[in-house]
Amino acid sequence: MREIDFMGSLEVGVGVYTGGARRAVAFPLGGLGAGHVALCGDGALRQWQLSGVPNHRGLLPDSFFALRVSSLEPPADVVRLLRAAPIVPHPRPAANVSDGEVPDAPPVDDFGAPLWPFVAETAFEAGYPFARVSYLDPELPVAVSLEAHTPFVPLDADASSLPLVRYRFTITNSSAEFRHGFLLGTLQNAAGWDGVTPIRGTRGAGYGGNVNRLLRRPGQSGVLMDHPGLAEDDPAAGELLLWTDAPAAVLPRALDAAALLRFVETARLVAPTQLGDYSDAALRAALASGASPMRAPTGPSPAGHTWDAGVAAAFALEPGQSTTIDIVHAWWFPNRYADFDRFGPQHTYGPTRFWVGNHYATRFGGALDVLDAYLADRERLDAQSRAWADAVADSDLPEPLREVIAAQGTLVRSPSVFRTADGRTYAFEGALGESTRNWNGDAGGSCPLNCNHVLNYEQALARLFPAVGRDMRETEFAVQAADGSIPHRVVLPLYLPQLHGEMIGGPVRPALDGMLGAVLKTYRSVLDGAGEPWLRAHWPALQRLMSHISDTWDKSGDGVLRGDQPVTYDISLHGPNMFVGALWLAALRAMHEMSGIMGLESIFQDTFVRASAAYDELLWNGEFYAQPPTGEAYDFGAGCLSDQLLGQWWAHQLGLGHLLPAERVRAALRSIVRYNLRRSFEPHGYREFADGDETGLVVCSWPHGGRPAVPLRYCDEVWTGVEYQVAAHCIYEDLVDEGLAIVNGVRARYDGTRRNPFNEIECGDHYVRAMAGWSLLGAWTDGGKRPGRYPYVAGTSWGVLTVAEDGTVTRRPR
């Protein structure tokens, strides 16, 4: 790989991707629950999901950036599309992913030849929420780079929920002559598009009658787009905005990409050229009187078609001089419907669509309101976003941990998570994609909704935005059944019958591990500042839940849960097992602590002591915690389950101490790494998330034989959420080499060559179990054992903490 000149380093960089490592890079841009577009390693924009419909193949044509650079003497005019040529497909593509696909072709003439050439190469650098693309081309007399981001401020969900992307281009005259030209930013009016149906040029289902309006304000210009012929409650009704505050010529309506490029080719700066005055005022004056002889079409778009639009921002540079140009895409789609898959028995509700709305649309009246809210607070929002990126990039975390912590924000703001008009937050397990086509399609949300056993692993969303974590707990208790149980899926809208006493799916009955996790997540919210009144309000629900668990699974009263135990592997375990057992022990300890906060006498500590001793005696086999044979399908028996100490991982994060003998916990972790961390894979008949000579932690293995005829479901798969929790737990227990070996394996698989570093896959893209990665930060900084500077988010403040050599910790809040 040749050396890349980045034309100046990105201020916040964690991952750098060049050559073939750009192939699968797709960096999500967009706010929390507010829609999504991805900036890819070749510089193109793909995976358009602005209206909230998850669809990795969502392509919005004619939405790109391009550059024209001219000079008087020597006479020169160079044009480039600001994207590189498609990267040659990998000779051994990874299964279950689609990020490396290149579905968009460049604009071509009537003979199929590209109208403008690509740049020779790109380099991609990321430091969430910022991404930078350097456009590298020896024929360009200027150096060009793009820095894109959507504001991201820990603890401030609203500030992090803007449906907007700011693209900031830096252009530097690297030649010895004066240069001037135009940076073109384009956008297609997507109002009316359902987010899934393919678009051909400007032709698509739902298009026709689209209206583009020229926006002219002092120092600003752009195009506001809508579709007034749609009903106000149409799922695809909304607005888009293309905007710049640079001196710019605007083409408000265009028939296709060729017209947009021709517009730039014909643009001129006559007065500045004649008078030698390229000041900002002179450029604006010249552009105001018309920069191109081209005429824009008028009126609404014809039936079946929409309009494209473009802004051509002018620049003029002396040798060595630089300028920055901001272009913004903003959008506003107020209508979200609960029209996704529903698990459980199928109910017929007739033509009702169940409108739930988008939260951001209650804060803004349209795309222009979104822009103005950003502009009014741009300095703070950008500074806070930069501060977070710096806190991670400049930290003393080991490199793979920095990568994980930086990428966790992309999961929080992926299409898997959304906020409804009432302010509640919901999550699919993931976004349907290549990994779900064996049982479902590849567009929409995967496995709705708020699946509590998968979200047992999630830490990033609730830690970065504690108010969101509290909100999700309130929803969980809102759907609690009369018997105290909590179904592991939520039916939306909440006024519909919930999944009580019915077969749910994945697993069939309410997941026991998810119910135990509800207790732990509630205590997490308390520690993150929810307060005693909030806890008191939910205490009766917690008591009903614990009574239901005891009455159903601890009938003997010895503290050991037995019987049919539905869990996250979409099956039930039977008889004592430490996967459920450790969660039960952690829940008992959490209930004891919460009792103390409220000044109540605890009835849980005695049960904890009894249960801990019983589980340890029943399940310890000298190396790890196994399961007594039951003869039931899917039980793991003598297997070494990677998740066997999930509850202990939770306990460390909540300050609950060891639930089992510490030396046995560490021995079990060593065994998990020894037996389950594989460095080569063969096809195994289930989903493949690691292959060939890659490294990954399998869900379960049988190191001494005894693999059942019907083994634990998914046992041979590799789940990043499990890998992260085991790695973090290892680090908590000072098994640092083991923890880093696991994380290094994950990041090597997701290095951009075959898989996207910003999209971890399981049952769908952007799988929420992977938000377990956030726990690596807490594990590394636990107890001040490792001197250095680290980012922190502590419920009511965030910033940088410094651990001195003597273990003293100081915090510098933002």
Side-chain angles (χ1 to χ4, degrees):
M1 184 185 304
R2 72 177 182 83
E3 290 294 319
I4 299 294
D5 180 5
F6 282 93
M7 313 299 181
S9 156
L10 182 65
E11 292 180 28
V12 286
V14 173
V16 177
Y17 306 91
T18 60
R22 300 167 299 149
R23 183 181 291 106
V25 170
F27 187 92
L29 296 163
L32 170 60
H36 168 122
V37 60
L39 178 63
C40 296
D42 62 1
L45 296 174
R46 301 190 184 100
Q47 300 180 7
W48 292 86
Q49 298 157 91
L50 304 186
S51 63
V53 178
N55 178 22
H56 258 209
R57 290 187 167 87
L59 177 63
L60 190 62
D62 305 347
S63 302
F64 58 89
F65 300 105
L67 183 71
R68 175 187 171 196
V69 185
S70 305
S71 64
L72 300 177
E73 295 178 359
D77 193 73
V78 181
V79 295
R80 289 291 186 274
L81 295 173
L82 291 180
R83 56 176 283 192
I87 302 166
V88 175
H90 196 279
R92 189 171 52 85
N96 297 307
V97 299
S98 61
D99 290 293
E101 293 182 0
V102 182
D104 49 331
V108 296
D109 62 20
D110 292 340
F111 302 99
L115 291 172
W116 284 23
F118 298 120
V119 296
E121 193 172 356
T122 55
F124 192 99
E125 193 171 358
Y128 196 77
F130 296 90
R132 175 171 174 173
V133 179
S134 295
Y135 303 96
L136 310 171
D137 194 308
E139 302 301 318
L140 271 176
V142 296
V144 189
S145 64
L146 161 64
E147 182 188 81
H149 90 293
T150 299
F152 183 84
V153 183
L155 308 183
D156 191 340
D158 282 349
S160 304
S161 298
L162 294 178
L164 166 150
V165 181
R166 188 215 71 186
Y167 307 94
R168 173 164 291 174
F169 289 86
T170 299
I171 304 174
T172 301
N173 185 352
S174 53
S175 73
E177 288 81 30
F178 178 81
R179 304 285 177 173
H180 63 275
F182 294 92
L183 171 72
L184 174 67
T186 73
L187 184 65
Q188 183 169 107
N189 183 342
W193 180 41
D194 60 16
V196 179
T197 305
I199 305 167
R200 300 288 180 254
T202 55
R203 184 177 181 179
Y207 283 169
N210 295 68
V211 173
N212 286 8
R213 297 177 176 87
L214 182 66
L215 173 68
R216 285 290 190 194
R217 302 197 297 190
Q220 304 176 28
S221 56
V223 182
L224 184 62
M225 310 172 184
D226 66 357
H227 192 328
L230 294 176
E232 290 185 0
D233 64 349
D234 191 292
E239 296 180 354
L240 300 92
L241 177 66
L242 173 65
W243 174 94
T244 185
D245 57 359
V250 180
L251 185 64
R253 289 166 294 279
L255 295 170
D256 53 27
L260 294 165
L261 295 176
R262 186 60 180 153
F263 173 67
V264 180
E265 290 174 338
T266 60
R268 62 275 182 105
L269 297 169
V270 176
T273 300
Q274 295 300 315
L275 301 177
D277 180 4
Y278 289 90
S279 64
D280 184 86
L283 290 176
R284 291 184 187 277
L287 297 171
S289 60
S292 168
M294 280 183 57
R295 295 182 59 182
T298 60
S301 62
H305 289 263
T306 188
W307 296 127
D308 295 335
V311 294
F315 61 88
L317 299 170
E318 297 288 350
Q321 189 177 10
S322 296
T323 189
T324 60
I325 296 172
D326 280 3
I327 294 175
V328 168
H329 288 162
W331 58 90
W332 182 81
F333 289 94
N335 299 317
R336 180 185 288 270
Y337 290 87
D339 56 359
F340 38 76
D341 302 331
R342 295 184 186 275
F343 278 34
Q346 298 300 298
H347 298 285
T348 301
Y349 295 109
T352 303
R353 292 186 292 177
F354 298 121
W355 184 93
V356 294
N358 280 316
H359 177 60
Y360 74 79
T362 68
R363 300 172 54 214
F364 309 113
L368 197 55
D369 279 357
V370 173
L371 172 72
D372 286 344
Y374 170 64
L375 295 180
D377 203 17
R378 173 165 50 174
E379 184 175 344
R380 181 188 73 88
L381 292 173
D382 289 358
Q384 295 281 281
S385 301
R386 183 77 62 185
W388 173 250
D390 285 344
V392 177
D394 296 342
S395 75
D396 292 317
L397 290 168
E399 181 178 353
L401 268 61
R402 283 203 310 272
E403 287 188 19
V404 174
I405 298 306
Q408 290 285 289
T410 66
L411 283 162
V412 170
R413 299 203 296 185
S414 75
S416 300
V417 181
F418 62 94
R419 304 174 77 195
T420 51
D422 59 6
R424 291 182 181 268
T425 302
Y426 297 92
F428 299 106
E429 289 186 26
L432 293 174
E434 193 69 22
S435 65
T436 63
R437 295 178 72 176
N438 64 311
W439 69 277
N440 204 325
D442 62 0
S446 174
C447 303
L449 199 60
N450 286 25
C451 181
N452 61 13
H453 61 73
V454 173
L455 288 169
N456 263 0
Y457 298 75
E458 178 276 311
Q459 299 294 335
L461 180 60
R463 292 294 196 182
L464 282 163
F465 303 106
V468 170
R470 293 194 295 273
D471 163 65
M472 296 184 82
R473 300 291 70 70
E474 291 164 7
T475 298
E476 195 163 29
F477 290 128
V479 302
Q480 187 174 28
D483 66 358
S485 66
I486 298 176
H488 55 270
R489 302 193 190 278
V490 172
V491 177
L492 193 64
L494 292 178
Y495 56 74
L496 290 178
Q498 296 298 318
L499 296 169
H500 298 155
E502 298 181 324
M503 296 177 63
I504 300 175
V508 171
R509 288 170 293 282
L512 176 54
D513 54 339
M515 287 188 272
L516 292 167
V519 177
L520 302 174
K521 286 175 270 192
T522 300
Y523 187 40
R524 177 180 63 192
S525 288
V526 172
L527 296 178
D528 279 344
E532 184 181 338
W534 183 86
L535 173 58
R536 285 189 182 275
H538 298 293
W539 186 246
L542 288 169
Q543 290 178 305
R544 291 195 301 273
L545 174 60
M546 291 297 282
S547 294
H548 170 76
I549 293 170
S550 295
D551 293 345
T552 305
W553 287 284
D554 184 21
K555 293 179 180 179
S556 68
D558 66 351
V560 176
L561 306 186
R562 294 178 170 86
D564 184 289
Q565 301 161 61
V567 293
T568 195
Y569 310 111
D570 298 340
I571 49 85
S572 288
L573 296 174
H574 304 83
N577 66 89
M578 196 57 83
F579 173 65
V580 169
L583 287 168
W584 168 237
L585 295 175
L588 290 168
R589 289 285 298 130
M591 290 295 288
H592 174 72
E593 295 297 325
M594 288 187 282
S595 296
I597 289 172
M598 294 184 294
L600 302 175
E601 182 178 354
S602 173
I603 62 172
F604 302 101
Q605 182 64 12
D606 289 346
T607 305
F608 166 78
V609 172
R610 188 166 60 252
S612 176
Y615 268 108
D616 185 60
E617 182 179 355
L618 278 168
L619 304 181
W620 180 250
N621 71 357
E623 290 186 289
F624 52 85
Y625 290 99
Q627 182 188 25
T630 65
E632 296 279 357
Y634 300 117
D635 280 356
F636 58 90
C640 181
L641 181 69
S642 289
D643 258 343
Q644 64 188 264
L645 293 170
L646 180 67
Q648 184 63 73
W649 169 73
W650 262 106
H652 284 318
Q653 293 178 86
L654 301 178
L656 299 175
H658 278 96
L659 309 173
L660 298 154
E663 68 278 6
R664 290 188 172 181
V665 167
R666 284 188 281 272
L669 284 171
R670 291 190 183 98
S671 296
I672 291 169
V673 176
R674 180 185 310 121
Y675 296 133
N676 294 358
L677 187 64
R678 296 182 181 171
R679 291 173 173 81
S680 64
F681 290 84
E682 297 291 337
H684 51 73
Y686 267 76
R687 300 167 301 186
E688 293 185 1
F689 303 123
D691 59 15
D693 59 357
E694 292 179 325
T695 296
L697 190 79
V698 297
V699 168
C700 189
S701 71
W702 287 264
H704 306 304
R707 177 173 172 135
V710 183
L712 181 76
R713 196 174 188 186
Y714 311 124
C715 59
D716 299 314
E717 295 184 356
V718 173
W719 295 354
T720 61
V722 173
E723 291 179 290
Y724 287 145
Q725 74 89 0
V726 173
H729 191 179
C730 284
I731 294 170
Y732 271 118
E733 303 284 354
D734 292 327
L735 303 177
V736 175
D737 290 345
E738 289 88 339
L740 291 180
I742 296 170
V743 179
N744 281 325
V746 178
R747 300 321 298 172
R749 298 199 309 271
Y750 286 88
D751 67 351
T753 58
R754 302 170 73 229
R755 299 181 185 86
N756 183 4
F758 312 106
N759 175 24
E760 291 169 80
I761 309 292
E762 196 185 310
C763 187
D765 295 304
H766 306 289
Y767 201 74
V768 298
R769 196 191 311 266
M771 285 192 272
W774 183 260
S775 65
L776 290 163
L777 176 59
W780 192 263
T781 58
D782 178 56
K785 292 181 287 190
R786 298 174 183 88
R789 295 176 68 254
Y790 307 107
Y792 80 91
V793 182
T796 57
S797 72
W798 69 275
V800 175
L801 65 81
T802 301
V803 180
E805 291 291 338
D806 64 359
T808 302
V809 177
T810 57
R811 287 181 170 83
R812 182 165 55 86
R814 286 293 306 180

